[in-house]
Amino acid sequence: MCYGDLGILLSLYVACHYRNRMNLKEECLNMLISCSKRRLNYETTYDGSIIYGASGLFILFDQLNHWNPRTEFQEARQYWLNNILKFRKKKKNSYLGFKNMFDDYGDKINLSFGWGLIGIAMSLMRGYNEKLPQFDELTMVGIR
């Protein structure tokens, strides 16, 4: 999820916690902080979706901020939340203007949780109302 390196790094970070590998966990944390400074690149962030998209990056940093509240994670969370709507095209009438990288595969993809509107809408709702429950357990960052 959210690029191979971030998914692997997040998995290592969580695994270190459970395996009591604090030195490696600290190293993973430093790399996650470095990754939190990445900015929008349309060649690597393909759409607004949860999988490989801006919503997924928002969820990842939302979860990291929940586990380990840090300014860097809060800023990355907010940055990616603010970028979700940049993937909306005003000229596109269907799917509220959102396009995903598999747009030609039909309604099921475009409306789905992972690639489509359902996940984008849930991310936006969570982002703009932190009183709503986290739904990371429905994603690949919901590992414990």
Side-chain angles (χ1 to χ4, degrees), residues 54-86:
S55 291
L57 289 163
F58 159 74
I59 291 166
L60 186 139
F61 287 110
D62 185 52
Q63 182 61 32
L64 274 171
N65 190 57
H66 176 74
W67 288 336
N68 189 341
R70 303 184 62 89
T71 302
E72 296 93 345
F73 296 151
Q74 177 62 35
E75 288 173 356
R77 174 198 185 280
Q78 192 63 43
Y79 176 82
W80 289 107
L81 174 65
N82 293 342
N83 276 279
I84 293 171
L85 294 176
K86 288 186 178 176

Side-chain angles (χ1 to χ4, degrees), residues 2 7 11 21 31 44 57 60 65 88-89 97 129-130 133 142:
C2 305
S11 297
R21 300 283 309 270
M31 286 188 275
T44 56
L57 289 163
L60 186 139
N65 190 57
R88 187 173 177 269
K89 306 297 180 208
N129 185 350
E130 291 184 47

Side-chain angles (χ1 to χ4, degrees), residues 40 42 45-48 83-100 103:
L40 179 61
Y42 290 104
T45 306
Y46 302 115
D47 54 31
N83 276 279
I84 293 171
L85 294 176
K86 288 186 178 176
F87 290 94
R88 187 173 177 269
K89 306 297 180 208
K90 292 181 182 178
K91 292 180 182 179
K92 184 177 182 201
N93 293 324
S94 58
Y95 309 108
L96 301 175
F98 283 99
K99 179 181 187 316
N100 68 54
D103 205 35

